[in-house]
Amino acid sequence: MIIETQDDVTKAVLAEMHRTPNPRTKEILSALVRHLHALVREIRMTEKEFQDAIAFINAIGQKTTPSHNEAMLVAGALGVSNLVCLMNNGENGKRPTQANNLGPFYREGVPRYEDGASLVISPTPGPKLRFKGWVRDLQGRPVSAAEIDVWHSSPVGLYENQDRSQAEMNLRGRFVTLQDGSFSFESVKPAGYPVPIDGPNGALLGAQKRHNFRPAHLHFIVYKPGYKTIASQVYDPEDPHLETDSQFGVTKALIGNFVEDGDGYTLEFTFVIEPGEARRPRPPITAKVAA
């Protein structure tokens, strides 16, 4: 199609979609073109703004490394991560769910532990945390032999992949639920933390005068064949940034109850999983920060 006016551009691009063999790919790309072109028209994007947008997208890739995923941060800061999660869990958004953002710090190859073991590999000062969880199905029945990945930040707000003073895989581990669907571990109480702002994510937050903090939380993945795999986070209700999470991850169903208990805290939580595809997510990072 030969372009005569600006109105012809969208028509021409959509017309070329007819060769796309995969129906879902065609659907996605067609919608992307329609909405992207509509955005450009709505805001009357200038040539300078277009160049700045391209530079922003390029910077996301340039800032991403094996130990840092800038694209995941930006997706979270725009609310896309949690929107996708809530649309695809809880019977496709019909009910509350314990599913939550995967986050940018999930890693594969974590140590496997026996029930009740400690996640602390290297000295990590801070209040102790004793956690006990349960996994149940939609009918409330215990789900045994589910694999649970756990990871969280230290009491100073750093994940081990960000912190060269922490041992490899510190505060990370994998457990298997017992016959009653339970699992437990010991660790230290995580702290809230600022997400990195030395790249495009920082520019995005700065343009909106938003802070870059996440409330304290623990991450989980619940995996069991026959059930939909969920990533989850359990949040500290006392964190000052609970209602203004820079990644929009806090949902009412995921606010935990951290109970002071002598030299630390205890936390109990129940995860409810639904039938579906068991599929481990692709790790956003693959390595620890370079020395």
Side-chain angles (χ1 to χ4, degrees), residues 85 98-103 151 220-222 229-233 254 281:
C85 172
Q98 284 76 33
N100 201 234
N101 303 341
L102 176 66
W151 70 103
F220 299 85
I221 287 178
V222 183
T229 301
I230 63 168
S232 189
Q233 300 181 39
L254 292 177

Side-chain angles (χ1 to χ4, degrees), residues 122-144:
S122 58
T124 313
K128 291 183 179 180
L129 176 66
R130 302 169 184 87
F131 179 91
K132 183 159 187 179
W134 289 266
V135 178
R136 301 191 182 280
D137 65 15
L138 292 176
Q139 287 71 45
R141 296 171 300 202
V143 178
S144 62

Side-chain angles (χ1 to χ4, degrees), residues 157 189-195 205 209-217 233 235-251 255:
K189 188 174 184 285
Y193 55 85
V195 300
L205 295 177
K209 302 298 182 185
R210 287 168 53 192
H211 72 72
N212 62 316
F213 280 84
R214 293 223 67 207
H217 57 276
Q233 300 181 39
Y235 295 90
D236 183 350
E238 301 301 321
D239 193 285
H241 298 108
L242 192 72
E243 295 191 11
T244 57
D245 178 13
S246 65
Q247 294 280 292
F248 299 104
V250 180
T251 66
I255 298 175

Side-chain angles (χ1 to χ4, degrees), residues 94-113:
K94 296 177 182 177
R95 61 169 180 79
T97 175
Q98 284 76 33
N100 201 234
N101 303 341
L102 176 66
F105 298 121
Y106 166 59
R107 296 184 66 182
E108 284 186 335
V110 298
R112 293 176 176 267
Y113 290 119

